Amino acid sequence: MKITFCCTGTEPGPWLAGLRAALPQAEVELWQAGASPADYAVVWAPPQQFFDEQVQLKAVFAIGAGVDALLKLRLPAEVSFVRLDDAGMAVQMAEYVCHAVIRHFRELDLYAGDTSQGRWTVHPSHQRADFPVGVMGLGVLGQRVAQALRHFEFPVNGWSRTAKELDGVHGFHGAEQFNAFLAASRILVNLLPLTAETVNILNRDTLSRLQPGGYVINVARGAHLVDDDLLVLLNRGQLAGATLDVFRTEPLPLAHPFWRHPRITITPHTSARTLRETSIAQIVGKMAALGRGEPVAGLVDVGRGY
């Protein structure tokens, strides 16, 4: 069995060592132009040339939960594409989102500003019932986030393409229930996959439908958000603020107004990072399952976009 590794922007050494240790019987090599055909590939944002040359692949494994960059390429129809379905990312995402929600709800940025100026000020407290959180996207990561928020006793709404039932979460689904979901939410968390249907879904119209004092947390993809629309709503006071971890251009250009906006908190796409050892174990397990003809979680529906 031959495995080729092609992950743009990733240090290959530790991944190659980990894959070789987990699969000592396999030949594991870093892909280079003109390389001999492989049976399986481990990839992240490979060039089109990779698929043009690797014409004997049985399956391709992406080292992430999102596959939108992969689906922009011309892909062979007979190959199975598999994404990570957790690999340690769900708990990280839950930590990040809960931190952002609580920081906003408890006005911790306001207190930080007070104390930095030597002001000892106690602000009025708020009721959790007045801060319902809407989670867009109820896959593995979205479900973990919704469940984590319930532990802090926030009302939680969930929206997905098809109906899903989660304990303690008010479920909405489909286009016909989307506006009702937005109207029921004050804090909006975006965990949707990026598809043709979800590009620009966080726009002036949708964000205006949130309850007064709405707050936006985007941890999915930068192309979900219309940047200028967010800025307009923030500057009008229609939205209270935003926490953004993903952007249309990364790294975020220094001239971008998000850097300087007082109501925007930004982080450098670090809400849930791929954990190498856990990911390798998952990929190796899925390779073995496919070899036995068994179904695997995370199989990508190319037509659907995730």
Side-chain angles (χ1 to χ4, degrees), residues 115-132:
T115 56
S116 69
Q117 299 298 318
R119 294 192 297 268
W120 184 275
T121 306
V122 178
H123 298 279
S125 59
H126 303 291
Q127 299 297 315
R128 283 172 175 76
D130 296 330
F131 283 77

Side-chain angles (χ1 to χ4, degrees), residues 11-205:
E11 171 55 46
W15 282 89
L16 294 172
L19 288 165
R20 287 166 181 159
L23 295 165
Q25 77 284 7
E27 180 184 352
V28 182
E29 299 294 340
L30 178 66
W31 178 78
Q32 295 179 343
S36 60
D39 302 296
Y40 296 103
V42 177
V43 306
W44 185 255
Q48 181 62 52
Q49 183 181 4
F50 175 83
F51 288 109
D52 293 342
E53 294 184 358
Q54 290 293 317
V55 296
Q56 296 183 25
L57 292 171
K58 300 174 183 176
V60 174
F61 298 84
I63 61 168
V67 292
D68 45 284
L70 194 60
L71 297 180
K72 294 177 182 177
L73 304 177
R74 296 188 307 277
L75 302 177
E78 66 278 7
V79 176
S80 297
F81 292 86
V82 186
R83 55 176 169 77
L84 297 178
D85 44 88
D86 186 339
M89 289 185 285
V91 66
Q92 296 178 68
M93 189 65 79
E95 290 171 342
Y96 183 98
V97 171
C98 287
H99 178 270
V101 169
I102 293 167
R103 185 178 65 223
H104 173 60
F105 171 70
R106 294 291 300 272
E107 297 184 304
L108 297 181
D109 287 339
L110 180 60
Y111 280 107
D114 287 344
T115 56
S116 69
Q117 299 298 318
R119 294 192 297 268
W120 184 275
T121 306
V122 178
H123 298 279
S125 59
H126 303 291
Q127 299 297 315
R128 283 172 175 76
D130 296 330
F131 283 77
V133 183
V135 179
M136 295 171 59
L138 294 175
V140 172
L141 302 186
Q143 290 184 34
R144 184 64 177 269
V145 166
Q147 291 164 351
L149 288 164
R150 288 291 300 143
H151 285 296
F152 292 101
E153 301 182 9
F154 288 98
V156 179
N157 303 312
W159 183 82
S160 52
R161 187 176 62 88
T162 58
K164 294 186 178 180
E165 293 187 9
L166 294 176
D167 186 40
V169 176
H170 184 188
F172 298 81
H173 68 276
E176 66 279 4
Q177 295 184 8
F178 185 52
N179 287 342
F181 161 78
L182 294 170
S185 305
R186 181 168 177 174
I187 299 175
L188 183 65
V189 180
N190 179 39
L191 278 158
L192 291 172
L194 184 65
T195 67
E197 290 72 32
T198 64
V199 168
N200 298 328
I201 195 169
L202 301 177
N203 55 54
R204 193 176 311 192
D205 176 64

Side-chain angles (χ1 to χ4, degrees), residues 92-93 96 219 244-246 250 266-273:
Q92 296 178 68
M93 189 65 79
Y96 183 98
V219 287
L244 307 176
D245 185 56
V246 290
E250 295 182 0
I266 64 172
T267 52
H269 204 147
T270 191
S271 56
R273 302 175 69 179

